[in-house]
Every structure is written in C-alpha cells, then in structure tokens.
Amino acid sequence: MELHFLGTGAGMPSKERNTSAIAMKLLEERGTIWLFDCGEATQHQILHTTIKPRKIEKIFITHLHGDHVFGLPGLLSSRSFLGGEDTLTVYGPKGLQSWVEATLALTGTHLTYPIAYVEVTEGIVFEDEQFIVHAKLLAHVIPCFGYRIEQKPLLGELLMEKALALGVPKGPLLGKLKQGQDIVLETGEIIYSTDVTAPAKDGFVVTILGDTKYCDNAIRLAERADIVVHEATFDAETTHLAASYGHATNIEAATVAQKANAKNLILNHISARFLAHDITKLLQQARVVFPATYIASDGAQFELKGKELL
C-alpha cells in the first residue's frame, strides 16, 4: 500500500501546494486505486504521476468545501476519455450526488461508465473480503467525515515442507491449503489448513481525516493506526484561530496520534501562510509530542511495507 499526495494545501491552491487529494495505491492488494478528496486540478496533478484514472475504483469525499471537491467533475469526465469502463463508486456527505449529477448534466458530460453513489453516515461505509472502511463525523464548520481503512487479516504463509512431509502432492491441493481450505488426500487422510500454515497476519490500518478541529472522533478513528493523515492548517502560535475556523494545529494533530497510540503521523492541509522555511519548525514542534511525524508535500509518496513506513 502506498499513499501518494496529490494536493496538500489548505483553502486554495498556492505555488507550492495544490488543494486536497490523496491517492491510496492498492495495486498489489486489489489492482486498483482509491482517491480521498478531489480538489481543483487533481487530474492535472495526476498527469505528473503513473496513476491511471481508469484504475481509480473508489473516491471518498470528506466534505463539500470546494478545495476538496472542485476537481471531481473534471476527473470523472476525463476518466471516460482515458478508457474508464468499470463502475466507479463515490462516497461522500449528503448533497454530493445531486451536485455532481447537476454539474455533469448542465455541461452535457457523457460518461462511459456507471457511477455508484454512497451517502456517507457514521459507521461502516464499505466492506468486502479484503477491507472494511469506517466513517465518523469530525468537528468542522460543515459536516465532514474521517475515514478509517482496515485491511482484514492476511492468510498465513504455507509451510511447504510440512505439507509435503504429510503427503500433500505438489499442485492445486497446496493452493487450497494456502487459502485456508482443508483437503482430503487419496488415502482418505484429512489435512487441516491450520496445521500447515503460519498464523494469519494483521493487515494495515490507515486513517485519513478531513478538515477538523481537535476532537475525540479523530482519536477514535486513529486508534492504533499504522498511518494517520491529519490536517495541520495552523501551528502553535495560531492555536487561538484554529478552533474558530474548524481546523487543527500541528500540535493538536500530534496529540491525536499520541493519544490514539498510532504508529506514524503525516501532516497535510498546510496553510499558504507557512513558507518553505516554516515547514521545519512545524515538523519540529509536532515531533516534540509525537516523534514519528512527517509533513507531506505535493507529490510525496509514503509506502507501507509490512508495518514499516518507507
């Protein structure tokens, strides 16, 4: 799994940072990409990457402020021109579907693929055999959701030598054991998968939070997560402004990660008031509270290998 930050700015684009968009690359896990938010010019940012829009399977919108959604109609349109045929599922707050459909209709935009809309409420918004996604309301000036993406436990490694020693022939039966199925040999002997596979491994947990001031739901979503992505629109010197605008400081984001016992914190949604020379200070302040803190820039990629952040 890899997080590719396409836009890390707050409010409006700047020369250094585009508006909000994060691609979660699940190419090894399911051959697709999930997108979280789609600010203005997200598709232009994608042009500078290896991301193929037709590979985008799901788009999760945190809230309906323009810096998180103004790029969505354009991306949906371009996905048709770029070979998109598979269903795209779009998750977001009430009102998202009507806005997108009205925009596409008024502009005469024809799509070559169907869109499935899911109106997000608190709870489980998606689940299959691989993943489960939880959503909770955060504390912003309009309804805004944070998402917790949990990969379900991975099947344990097949203990090949042990299986062969028990008389399992090479071939399809080994595959069944690896998939957790018990088998019967020609002799009538039953070989149990649990006897010839290592214990299941925990999958990863990634929490991606939308705009929010410091709140308990952010901590709940981030509990023991391998990666927490949290906004840091303000800093320690502007704490008095953060809550009134429905935003958080770098210190508050670090506190969320610390209280949640998370493993890594990535700060984004950085205000244009912070220039390049301010970023080091932002990072240093946060690391006093939570040492495993990083700040994303546009184009930054963070890969999770096993449980290690690269």
Side-chain angles (χ1 to χ4, degrees):
M1 189 283 299
E2 185 177 332
L3 292 181
H4 195 149
F5 286 81
L6 302 171
T8 59
M12 63 180 184
S14 67
K15 292 181 179 179
E16 289 77 26
R17 296 177 184 273
N18 199 55
T19 48
S20 294
I22 305 169
M24 175 180 280
K25 296 179 179 178
L26 298 170
L27 299 176
E28 291 185 10
E29 292 82 0
R30 60 197 291 134
T32 62
I33 295 168
W34 292 0
L35 188 65
F36 291 81
D37 284 335
C38 191
E40 180 183 351
T42 292
Q43 65 170 320
H44 191 271
Q45 296 288 83
I46 288 174
L47 292 176
H48 301 284
T49 74
T50 59
I51 294 170
K52 294 179 172 58
R54 60 182 172 81
K55 287 284 190 180
I56 297 175
E57 173 194 15
K58 299 179 182 296
I59 300 177
F60 295 85
I61 300 297
T62 60
H63 65 296
L64 300 185
H65 274 159
D67 59 322
H68 294 256
V69 299
F70 279 166
L72 185 55
L75 177 62
L76 297 178
S77 176
S78 295
R79 189 174 184 265
S80 284
F81 291 111
L82 297 170
E85 296 179 349
D86 296 332
T87 298
L88 174 67
T89 306
V90 178
Y91 302 78
K94 183 178 181 180
L96 178 64
Q97 179 177 354
S98 59
W99 175 71
V100 171
E101 291 181 338
T103 302
L104 297 180
L106 287 169
T107 56
T109 302
H110 171 71
L111 301 183
T112 58
Y113 58 90
I115 297 179
Y117 293 93
V118 176
E119 185 177 299
V120 173
T121 56
E122 288 197 308
I124 296 173
V125 297
F126 170 74
E127 184 174 11
D128 67 2
E129 68 280 357
Q130 287 184 297
F131 289 93
I132 181 168
V133 180
H134 301 262
K136 282 187 178 295
L137 271 170
L138 300 173
H140 194 39
V141 294
I142 65 172
C144 181
F145 290 92
Y147 296 101
R148 177 184 174 91
I149 304 94
E150 298 179 2
Q151 183 186 32
K152 293 185 176 180
L154 304 173
L155 293 173
E157 179 184 0
L158 177 66
L159 305 175
M160 181 71 74
E161 291 185 3
K162 190 171 183 180
L164 295 175
L166 291 173
V168 181
K170 292 183 178 180
L173 293 180
L174 289 172
K176 290 184 177 182
L177 288 169
K178 186 176 181 179
Q179 293 301 315
Q181 301 176 42
D182 300 330
I183 64 169
V184 180
L185 301 179
E186 290 184 355
T187 61
E189 183 182 359
I190 299 174
I191 305 296
Y192 296 97
S193 175
T194 53
D195 291 338
V196 293
T197 54
K201 297 179 180 179
D202 290 336
F204 64 76
V205 177
V206 173
T207 299
I208 297 179
L209 302 171
D211 292 3
T212 184
K213 62 183 181 181
Y214 181 85
C215 66
D216 289 340
N217 271 355
I219 298 171
R220 294 186 183 102
L221 285 170
E223 185 176 355
R224 299 188 182 279
D226 295 292
I227 299 175
V228 177
V229 179
H230 198 300
E231 69 133 287
T233 312
F234 292 88
D235 66 354
E237 284 72 37
T238 51
T239 302
H240 62 289
L241 295 174
S244 61
Y245 286 99
H247 287 295
T249 69
N250 55 339
I251 302 299
E252 289 170 331
T255 303
V256 166
Q258 187 268 331
K259 287 191 173 182
N261 292 310
K263 294 183 176 65
N264 299 282
L265 170 66
I266 303 175
L267 302 178
N268 78 333
H269 205 268
I270 308 299
S271 171
R273 68 165 56 85
F274 300 118
L275 303 179
H277 64 269
D278 297 315
I279 300 304
T280 299
K281 182 179 179 182
L282 285 174
L283 187 59
Q284 289 174 341
Q285 287 178 345
R287 283 182 169 173
V288 171
V289 177
F290 189 78
T293 299
Y294 308 87
I295 294 182
S297 57
D298 284 17
Q301 300 180 62
F302 295 84
E303 184 178 4
L304 197 61
K305 277 279 189 184
K307 293 289 183 177
E308 296 296 320
L309 186 64
L310 305 177

